[in-house]
Amino acid sequence: MPITALATTRRAATAALLVTATLALTAGCHDGAAHKAGDPVTAVSPAPVPPSAHDGGKPPTGPDGQVACTPEMLKFQAGAMPRRAHRMLLTVTNFSDRPCTFAAQPYPLLHFGDDRQPPLPAIEASAPPAVISLAPNRTAYALITTSAAHGPDGPHHRGRKVSQFGVALSARTTPTQVGLDGRAPVHVDSHTARVTYWQSSLAATRKW
């Protein structure tokens, strides 16, 4: 066979092989796309939204410029006081890494039953000489007189037994529900019950 004819035949064969390879690659791409379209779709979570001042961002401040104590910073405990009739103790411990203050609301707003009812009145004489602030891991106390010692009905006071109640640290906020330590509920007469201001020590609550 002449050299020219041989070269032409080789070029034709090479071109045919290139076309065949291109068609096979194209078909493979289409098949792969069709397979992926039939696979289950995996959901992708949206990017997290940076926290705002209302969503765990910078806590609000009190009148003195310090950070106001919020429920997210505190551990609540409550229960009847041993050997003290008509008395219950509420404690809050700051487990956050920053100090906070009760300057904006110096006593807890307690709700027994319907949160739409006004909170218990405070014992004004229990106001401490200085605003209570909580360093990390420190505790504040509030004493609750669950009913008058001598109610209008004699020994049969009005009210009901409760095993939990609402605690708000500022007005117009949703109360945090606090359960009582122990299994026995406590009898509370919301008509005569009162609460002290926050105290810095357990000893300061014993006079009420």
Side-chain angles (χ1 to χ4, degrees):
M1 178 181 293
I3 296 177
T4 302
L6 180 60
T8 301
T9 301
R10 287 179 178 176
R11 285 196 297 269
T14 301
L17 290 174
L18 289 175
V19 171
T20 301
T22 301
L23 291 175
L25 180 61
T26 303
C29 290
H30 286 298
D31 289 342
H35 177 71
K36 290 181 180 179
D39 286 343
V41 179
T42 302
V44 179
S45 301
V49 179
S52 66
H54 301 288
D55 297 324
K58 186 178 180 180
T61 56
D64 56 357
Q66 297 186 42
V67 173
C69 296
T70 63
E72 294 77 16
M73 305 170 71
L74 305 175
K75 177 183 178 180
F76 296 79
Q77 286 186 290
M81 295 193 70
R83 298 180 296 279
R84 293 199 66 187
H86 315 296
R87 298 294 185 270
M88 186 163 62
L89 186 68
L90 171 66
T91 68
V92 289
T93 302
N94 181 3
F95 68 87
S96 73
D97 59 356
R98 67 181 72 187
C100 65
T101 178
F102 292 111
Q105 179 58 52
Y107 60 89
L109 302 175
L110 305 185
H111 296 268
F112 292 89
D114 192 348
D115 293 342
R116 294 172 296 180
Q117 298 297 321
L120 291 189
I123 302 174
E124 294 298 333
S126 67
V131 172
I132 300 300
S133 297
L134 280 184
N137 299 318
R138 297 304 297 269
T139 300
Y141 308 83
L143 183 77
I144 305 163
T145 58
T146 58
S147 62
H150 302 286
D153 302 321
H156 303 289
H157 304 308
R158 297 174 297 178
R160 61 192 182 90
K161 292 184 177 182
V162 300
S163 57
Q164 68 177 19
F165 59 97
V167 181
L169 302 181
S170 61
R172 298 182 298 277
T173 59
T174 301
T176 299
Q177 293 300 311
V178 178
L180 301 184
D181 292 341
R183 297 181 179 179
V186 173
H187 185 95
V188 176
D189 179 4
S190 58
H191 297 282
T192 60
R194 298 291 186 269
V195 62
T196 66
Y197 280 63
W198 289 115
Q199 308 293 323
S200 59
S201 68
L202 181 60
T205 68
R206 291 175 180 163
K207 65 179 68 174
W208 308 108

